[in-house]
Amino acid sequence: MSDSPYDAILVLSFGGPEKTEDVRPFLENVTRGRGIPPERLDEVGEHYYNFGGKSPLNDLNREIIANLEAILASEGIDLPVYFGNRNWHPMVEDTVEQMSRDGIRNALVFATSAWAGYSGCRQYHEDIARAREHLREKDLPQIRLERLRGFHDHPLFINEFATAVKDSFEKLPDDRRDNARLVFTAHSIPVSADRSAGPADGDGNLYSRQVAESAALIAQKVGVSEYDVVWQSRSGPPHIPWLEPDIVDHAEDLEGQSYRAAVVCPVGFISDHIEVVWDLDTELMDEMSDKDFAIQRSATPGPSQAFASMITELIRERRDGADLRRLGSEPLQGSAVNGSLCAEQCCVPAKRPQPA
């Protein structure tokens, strides 16, 4: 029997609608306080309606949880796994309430984001704080909630993506493989938000630097020396600069440069949720369908046993003091090994531009 102080693990994610009538209230939760116009919500809603109003995300997270539970059991780690979301059911407040009623007092938190930055890091700490406030409002016993560290350069994360990229190159037509470009894509964010993602000493851009480092590590594993890092899924007003180039624009540029194919690796996403199945599998493919250009989109690592093994390793780091396994050199964010929050101001929300 372990003398670990931890008695549960909470898988904390973004959330997604599971039926048509969920879509609009879900999007309102996501954009609350951001001044997003209703017509933009209507536009994004169509992405979900295209799939019957259901995001794949909750089911994908349940798959991750089932794999994690199996590995924990096989390794004799007695930690029940709970599931909570920021924006849709099961809401993290409800989950933490149930945990408290179940007698959980010291839990680890695995957030389904590998990255630094406000939305990839700090917002998950805000979710944890909100859940603890919910317990206070309910007059329930508090739970110590410690977030596990970021994992953008964990060997199992990198290796799983590298295997998927190799498989994608193999699936390209034989006459296209030698003239194919490797392209990594991640969720775009405002340039101002990326600049703020760094330690308080001013060394920012940690989000885009971590994405670039993951891409470099995967490419090295695959044996590819030339590749591109691009962005997708921007949702802000056009006058606010976001990270570029966009994946669709870039694919069109590659076709114009006489490339005949691309392997697209969604390095910024752990699972095939809506930004993958819509922005890449639907929108990108539709835009390139009338061109003589082959695209293979690589698989994401979330459903794999390796990904669940990675989470188990992160648990052992915190619970047992196991060595950190890392391939890169960029600073880790999301949690220090001692359980503290990010470095001061490492990923504070960027100030929104004020109207003139």
Side-chain angles (χ1 to χ4, degrees):
M1 178 72 70
S2 170
D3 58 357
S4 166
Y6 304 109
D7 48 15
I9 175 118
L10 168 64
V11 173
L12 178 58
S13 193
F14 187 82
E18 301 208 63
K19 54 185 182 298
T20 299
E21 52 265 42
D22 294 346
V23 172
R24 187 59 181 239
F26 160 74
L27 291 174
E28 289 171 352
N29 284 345
V30 172
T31 60
R32 183 172 291 116
R34 293 171 54 190
I36 303 297
E39 55 270 21
R40 176 56 183 163
L41 298 188
D42 294 337
E43 179 184 342
V44 175
E46 291 300 322
H47 301 172
Y48 292 92
Y49 299 139
N50 190 66
F51 298 97
K54 180 174 181 175
S55 165
L57 186 55
N58 276 351
D59 284 347
L60 292 166
N61 282 328
R62 293 182 184 109
E63 185 176 9
I64 289 171
I65 289 168
N67 290 339
L68 176 60
E69 288 174 331
I71 290 177
L72 292 176
S74 71
E75 296 190 9
I77 301 176
D78 184 18
L79 286 178
V81 184
Y82 291 82
F83 175 31
N85 286 323
R86 176 185 305 155
N87 296 303
W88 202 247
H89 307 285
M91 302 295 287
V92 65
E93 295 92 337
D94 298 332
T95 300
V96 171
E97 179 178 336
Q98 184 62 54
M99 292 169 69
S100 180
R101 296 186 189 278
D102 289 347
I104 303 300
R105 297 296 176 264
N106 293 282
L108 295 169
V109 180
F110 174 76
T112 58
S113 167
W115 314 108
Y118 176 65
S119 60
C121 174
R122 176 63 61 179
Q123 208 164 4
Y124 285 101
H125 291 299
E126 293 177 356
D127 296 336
I128 292 169
R130 191 176 65 254
R132 289 173 56 83
E133 178 60 29
H134 178 76
L135 293 181
R136 281 188 283 271
E137 292 172 354
K138 290 286 186 176
D139 198 25
L140 287 169
Q142 274 294 335
I143 304 174
R144 184 180 181 188
L145 296 163
E146 294 184 13
R147 185 183 165 188
L148 297 172
R149 70 169 174 91
F151 53 89
H152 80 280
D153 60 357
H154 193 285
L156 293 177
F157 184 67
I158 298 300
N159 290 349
E160 199 63 25
F161 264 128
T163 297
V165 168
K166 290 177 183 177
D167 289 346
S168 293
F169 272 106
E170 288 299 318
K171 291 175 183 176
L172 286 172
D174 293 343
D175 63 342
R176 303 293 181 102
R177 199 171 300 141
D178 291 338
N179 192 23
R181 187 76 172 179
L182 175 56
V183 181
F184 295 94
T185 182
H187 205 301
S188 185
I189 63 172
V191 171
S192 59
D194 188 42
R195 287 173 180 158
S196 72
D201 61 9
D203 189 11
N205 303 100
L206 190 51
Y207 169 67
S208 59
R209 283 163 38 203
Q210 287 184 347
V211 170
E213 183 169 61
S214 294
L217 291 168
I218 296 164
Q220 182 181 40
K221 204 78 173 173
V222 173
V224 172
S225 59
E226 294 187 5
Y227 59 88
D228 305 310
V229 177
V230 303
W231 309 94
Q232 63 176 87
S233 311
R234 72 158 289 161
S235 60
H239 67 279
I240 296 177
W242 283 51
L243 295 176
E244 294 180 332
D246 176 77
I247 178 61
V248 175
D249 295 338
H250 188 68
E252 292 173 339
D253 287 345
L254 289 176
E255 193 265 342
Q257 296 171 32
S258 301
Y259 283 97
R260 301 186 65 201
V263 167
V264 176
C265 175
V267 66
F269 306 95
I270 68 169
S271 296
D272 288 4
H273 52 77
I274 201 72
E275 282 83 1
V276 175
V277 298
W278 174 262
D279 294 342
L280 299 181
D281 296 350
T282 306
E283 188 175 50
L284 173 62
M285 297 301 184
D286 287 350
E287 289 293 329
M288 300 300 292
S289 62
D290 62 347
K291 297 176 173 60
D292 184 22
F293 191 82
I295 295 178
Q296 279 292 331
R297 194 268 291 172
S298 298
T300 48
S304 69
Q305 292 295 312
F307 190 81
S309 294
M310 181 199 74
I311 302 173
T312 306
E313 286 196 13
L314 298 179
I315 292 169
R316 287 196 178 279
E317 287 177 5
R318 183 65 59 81
R319 193 188 78 142
D320 305 327
D323 291 340
L324 276 68
R325 290 218 296 151
R326 299 185 60 203
L327 296 175
S329 59
E330 286 291 351
L332 289 175
Q333 301 299 329
S335 176
V337 176
N338 64 7
S340 67
L341 295 181
C342 323
E344 184 180 359
Q345 296 184 358
C346 84
C347 50
V348 295
K351 293 182 179 179
R352 300 190 183 281
Q354 298 299 311

